[in-house]
Amino acid sequence: MDDREAFKKKIRSYVDQVRLYEDPKSQESARKTVPVDELQEKAIVSLAKEGKYEPSKQEQDHAFLLQLLFWFKQSFSWVNAPSCEHCGDTTTYQDMGNPLPSELQFGGYRVELYGCNSCQKVTRFPRFNNPVKLTETRRGRCGEWANCFTFYCRVFGYESRLILDLTDHVWTECFSHLLGRFMHLDPCEAVYDQPLLYEKGWDKKLNYVIAISIDGVRDVTKRYTRKWNEVLSRRNIITEEILSNMLAEITRQCRSTFTSQLLSELEDRDEKENQARERNTHTIDDSSVILPGRQSGDKEWRKSRLEIASDEEGSLSSSACSVRNCVDEHVTRIYSAFGCILSQLPDEEFSKSATFEVLSFIRGIVTDLKKSAFRTRTALVDSYLDETKAFSHRLFPSLKCFLGVLSLDSNLDNDGRVEIWLAKEPVYTSLALPVALDALEEVIQDVNKCDNFGRAFLCLPRLKLNRIHSGSVLASGEELPFGIATSAFDGIRSSKWEEPNGAKGCWIMYKVFDNKMEELAAYELMSANDAPERDPMDWIVEGSEDGGSSWHLLDEQTNQIFDNRFQRRSFFVTKTGLLSNTFRFRFLAVRDGEATSRLQIGSIDLNKEMANGFYGNCMQR
């Protein structure tokens, strides 16, 4: 078989592959494997964090697609070498095997054989092509990942393409109506809309990149390169004319049953897409954008493919980080309402055990609500303990206020049962519940550890009562998409700001809403979820009264250590009387700058001066 026929056969096999995605029964089966409600909730919350509380359908569809990508990255497993199916130990590749009928049934034409390093038995690793089978096995390498993810995209109605890179990689494109174009998505890396990832990050020497879908095949190589002349010199399998005619022929066959109207629409869009790709070849690459080497797969395997960056940690950060608005007024309101409950407990003479029961009771309410369907959240809670019954009646106004800031309404009956339901659009509650639950968990843990329980202890969480919110944030760098700068202000423990190059120095700047002048009385930093070596150790806090043109020192800390993950530490500003509309943290060093290039912070809370010297009173106690 000559090169032309081999090329055509390869493309046609992928056309047959994408046709499998269109079977209604297969799609129905696959849909049941996805936590749809959870992803829809995460999508609307992600939009709300951008200030979009009433997003358009296009915005919702785009956000859901990204959440589908992130979920898939977490739910699918990469296989370098499978574990021994007999004893569970590691294995080593031996040879290729002959497929069994049960494997051929699901497109497992290639079977890899691995010998166990302990029991010496052989484990088979069939490379399944059937997308439904892959939703069951949920494992493989880039071929299985892209095949299954593209199928999921079709399941949820996205116009999708399987992208074949002849230098041995596969990924996905989906049409985003929000962007008005096809968008690159790599499920192995959980990366989206970064088409230069391979050429610039992985240092791939691309030649042919072909998009395959049910409506035809297209050469999309120019979208993925800014070095077209170099790529063109490597396109020597077949001539450009033969390639163009071949793809056009396959596309005509794919569209042979389409209506004239649909054909006209597709041809019009094809032309616009071709024009955009041609413009790409004349676009100058943005050198400020740093793209990583390959992250998926064993390190030695990536090295053998020359797809690993010089910086092993990698990053999708941008040195020119954009200004981001903090949608976090709900965080301040939750802290304030929670503080009202805490401040009332010593007045009601609650013991440590009773306080623990009360807080656990509220945590149970919030946990149940968080687990319930986000569009129809309701709860009916019985106060089955004497302490919580007393709490329900005596402190219900404070509880009602607390639930109110979660956009929930509530009622207390004579038997101490609390009925709760949504008071506003579901997104407001979805945004608030994780913040409330984290705040409760934090204080309950502190109550458990407290040896000298009393008013002074319950005073401490009230530091957040006058928290500054709704400002804008700019940082020296950030990790996209999970470590953006505003994550430091969202009140959620599981999120964080991550500066990929911040170990030896970085900064984050907070501009107060509407340029209002504020006096910073205290601030709190919380360590992130992992990697203690990335914790800040030395830093300077500064304020500016002119939006950042000039700065005055507010606080300086050295050799600070966070002993635990999610540990919150409070620092009081001793320099009083200094008003600022902008605050800046300059982080000078991390805990172990030799072990990492990164800095990360779980949260930052800025607190204004409070009336009647409240901070000073708390400190004295």
Side-chain angles (χ1 to χ4, degrees):
M1 185 184 299
D2 62 21
D3 289 343
R4 175 180 175 178
E5 287 303 312
F7 197 107
K8 181 186 291 188
K9 182 178 180 181
K10 189 176 187 69
I11 299 299
R12 287 191 181 279
S13 71
Y14 277 92
V15 172
D16 293 337
Q17 179 67 49
V18 300
R19 284 175 177 158
L20 296 177
Y21 303 157
E22 305 306 309
D23 178 58
K25 290 184 178 179
S26 296
Q27 291 188 357
E28 182 181 358
S29 173
R31 188 181 181 92
K32 293 177 181 178
T33 67
V34 180
V36 179
D37 285 348
E38 177 186 331
L39 299 190
Q40 288 177 339
E41 182 177 14
K42 287 183 176 180
I44 66 167
V45 166
S46 69
L47 292 167
K49 286 183 176 180
E50 299 175 6
K52 299 173 182 176
Y53 288 95
E54 298 180 357
S56 65
K57 185 180 185 305
Q58 290 182 351
E59 289 171 325
Q60 292 182 60
D61 289 345
H62 184 85
F64 181 86
L65 177 59
L66 299 187
Q67 294 303 323
L68 184 67
L69 174 71
F70 303 150
W71 166 81
F72 187 85
K73 171 66 173 177
Q74 298 300 318
S75 65
F76 216 81
S77 298
W78 183 273
V79 177
N80 292 305
S83 299
C84 176
E85 62 186 11
H86 305 282
C87 71
D89 208 341
T90 59
T91 64
T92 301
Y93 175 77
Q94 290 185 337
D95 202 351
M96 298 298 292
N98 294 320
L100 303 174
S102 60
E103 295 164 339
L104 290 172
Q105 179 183 356
F106 300 106
Y109 305 109
R110 294 176 59 240
V111 179
E112 299 170 359
L113 304 180
Y114 291 82
C116 180
N117 297 324
S118 293
C119 71
Q120 310 304 315
K121 292 183 178 179
V122 174
T123 292
R124 302 174 67 85
F125 178 41
R127 305 296 301 275
F128 292 120
N129 285 318
N130 184 283
V132 178
K133 183 65 174 179
L134 292 175
T135 65
E136 300 172 4
T137 63
R138 297 197 181 197
R139 66 176 194 160
R141 291 195 279 275
C142 62
E144 290 90 347
W145 281 65
N147 184 3
C148 190
F149 179 70
T150 310
F151 174 45
Y152 272 128
C153 292
R154 288 298 300 138
V155 167
F156 290 96
Y158 294 96
E159 191 173 347
S160 309
R161 299 168 170 174
L162 189 63
I163 307 300
L164 171 64
D165 157 31
L166 261 65
T167 61
D168 193 24
H169 191 46
V170 197
W171 61 88
T172 305
E173 284 184 355
C174 286
F175 191 83
S176 167
H177 290 279
L178 181 66
L179 302 177
R181 58 175 171 79
F182 276 93
M183 178 174 67
H184 153 257
L185 301 111
D186 191 315
C188 299
E189 310 291 289
V191 171
Y192 63 93
D193 211 19
Q194 293 287 351
L196 297 184
L197 174 68
Y198 313 107
E199 181 177 82
K200 186 174 182 180
W202 299 16
D203 197 28
K204 258 184 172 294
K205 309 304 180 185
L206 299 172
N207 51 17
Y208 300 93
V209 181
I210 309 298
I212 300 112
S213 67
I214 57 170
D215 61 28
V217 293
R218 301 158 186 83
D219 181 358
V220 295
T221 311
K222 289 182 178 179
R223 174 176 296 141
Y224 293 92
T225 181
R226 292 294 180 271
K227 302 175 182 178
W228 174 243
N229 288 334
E230 291 183 22
V231 171
L232 190 59
S233 69
R234 295 190 290 268
R235 287 163 67 97
N236 49 26
I237 298 178
I238 55 178
T239 69
E240 295 300 303
E241 181 181 5
I242 291 175
L243 174 64
S244 178
N245 291 336
M246 177 192 301
L247 299 184
E249 176 191 349
I250 297 173
T251 297
R252 281 193 297 271
Q253 293 171 354
C254 290
R255 299 178 179 182
S256 61
T257 60
F258 290 6
T259 65
S260 57
Q261 180 179 349
L262 179 56
L263 283 173
S264 177
E265 292 173 357
L266 288 172
E267 289 168 1
D268 181 60
R269 194 169 70 184
D270 286 346
E271 179 59 29
K272 291 179 179 177
E273 188 177 358
N274 288 336
Q275 293 174 2
R277 284 199 296 269
E278 289 300 323
R279 289 195 298 269
N280 279 345
T281 62
H282 304 291
T283 302
I284 298 175
D285 182 32
D286 184 355
S287 60
S288 70
V289 177
I290 306 168
L291 296 175
R294 187 170 193 154
Q295 304 297 300
S296 54
D298 178 77
K299 184 176 180 179
E300 292 305 316
W301 179 76
R302 286 180 281 145
K303 278 186 174 180
S304 70
R305 296 166 61 93
L306 303 177
E307 293 173 349
I308 191 167
S310 57
D311 174 11
E312 167 61 17
E313 293 197 64
S315 168
L316 283 180
S317 65
S318 169
S319 57
C321 182
S322 60
V323 177
R324 299 185 181 275
N325 293 321
C326 288
V327 180
D328 65 334
E329 182 179 0
H330 64 286
V331 179
T332 299
R333 295 177 67 218
I334 288 168
Y335 288 167
S336 298
F338 190 38
C340 290
I341 293 174
L342 291 174
S343 66
Q344 208 167 344
L345 293 179
D347 296 334
E348 296 288 343
E349 298 181 352
F350 273 87
S351 65
K352 176 180 176 178
S353 61
T355 298
F356 177 82
E357 293 290 349
V358 166
L359 295 176
S360 298
F361 169 67
I362 300 175
R363 177 179 61 183
I365 294 175
V366 175
T367 300
D368 289 345
L369 286 164
K370 191 171 183 295
K371 290 179 179 178
S372 62
F374 77 96
R375 290 191 183 88
T376 56
R377 279 197 166 102
T378 59
L380 182 62
V381 185
D382 285 318
S383 300
Y384 58 91
L385 297 171
D386 290 340
E387 293 89 344
T388 52
K389 283 183 179 179
F391 166 76
S392 296
H393 289 284
R394 289 150 56 188
L395 301 186
F396 178 72
S398 295
L399 176 62
K400 186 176 181 67
C401 175
F402 177 65
L403 294 171
V405 300
L406 306 183
S407 299
L408 296 163
D409 207 346
S410 56
N411 180 60
L412 175 68
D413 67 19
N414 292 331
D415 295 323
R417 289 179 301 214
V418 180
E419 183 184 5
I420 305 167
W421 62 93
L422 288 172
K424 295 176 68 176
E425 288 298 313
V427 63
Y428 293 94
T429 302
S430 295
L431 195 62
L433 281 173
V435 179
L437 188 58
D438 282 353
L440 282 160
E441 292 283 3
E442 185 178 329
V443 176
I444 288 172
Q445 290 174 13
D446 289 344
V447 169
N448 271 330
K449 297 175 184 176
C450 181
D451 295 326
N452 299 306
F453 181 79
R455 182 180 296 274
F457 170 81
L458 290 172
C459 168
L460 184 60
R462 292 182 67 186
L463 292 176
K464 303 174 186 175
L465 269 174
N466 233 11
R467 179 181 179 275
I468 299 173
H469 59 79
S470 303
S472 57
V473 178
L474 180 65
S476 55
E478 59 183 10
E479 180 78 5
L480 299 174
F482 298 116
I484 62 175
T486 47
S487 293
F489 302 91
D490 64 8
I492 301 174
R493 291 202 304 182
S494 59
S495 66
K496 60 187 175 185
W497 168 51
E498 188 168 350
E499 221 288 21
N501 304 300
K504 292 181 172 61
C506 62
W507 53 267
I508 187 168
M509 188 164 60
Y510 185 98
K511 189 172 183 180
V512 181
F513 177 72
D514 207 23
N515 281 323
K516 187 176 180 181
M517 304 298 290
E518 301 284 8
E519 179 179 352
L520 186 67
Y523 62 92
E524 294 180 328
L525 300 182
M526 186 181 73
S527 58
N529 63 315
D530 62 1
E533 67 274 10
R534 301 175 185 174
D535 289 344
M537 185 174 68
D538 302 340
W539 64 84
I540 292 172
V541 184
E542 300 168 307
S544 173
E545 60 184 12
D546 53 18
S549 296
S550 59
W551 298 94
H552 46 257
L553 180 66
L554 296 176
D555 187 48
E556 184 173 4
Q557 299 291 335
T558 58
N559 297 317
Q560 297 296 331
I561 299 297
F562 291 83
D563 297 319
N564 302 300
R565 300 303 83 206
F566 304 124
Q567 180 185 359
R568 188 182 295 277
R569 299 192 58 195
S570 300
F571 301 90
F572 295 89
V573 175
T574 56
K575 297 181 182 296
T576 60
L578 297 175
L579 296 176
S580 306
N581 59 17
T582 308
F583 300 100
R584 180 172 69 179
F585 285 78
R586 288 197 290 128
F587 295 101
L588 309 177
V590 296
R591 186 168 176 171
D592 188 354
E594 297 300 319
T596 183
S597 65
R598 297 170 178 259
L599 174 138
Q600 64 182 25
I601 291 178
S603 70
I604 301 173
D605 290 297
L606 306 173
N607 303 289
K608 298 183 285 186
E609 181 62 84
M610 298 190 66
N612 301 320
F614 186 85
Y615 284 123
N617 292 337
C618 282
M619 291 179 70
Q620 291 169 11
R621 293 192 182 103

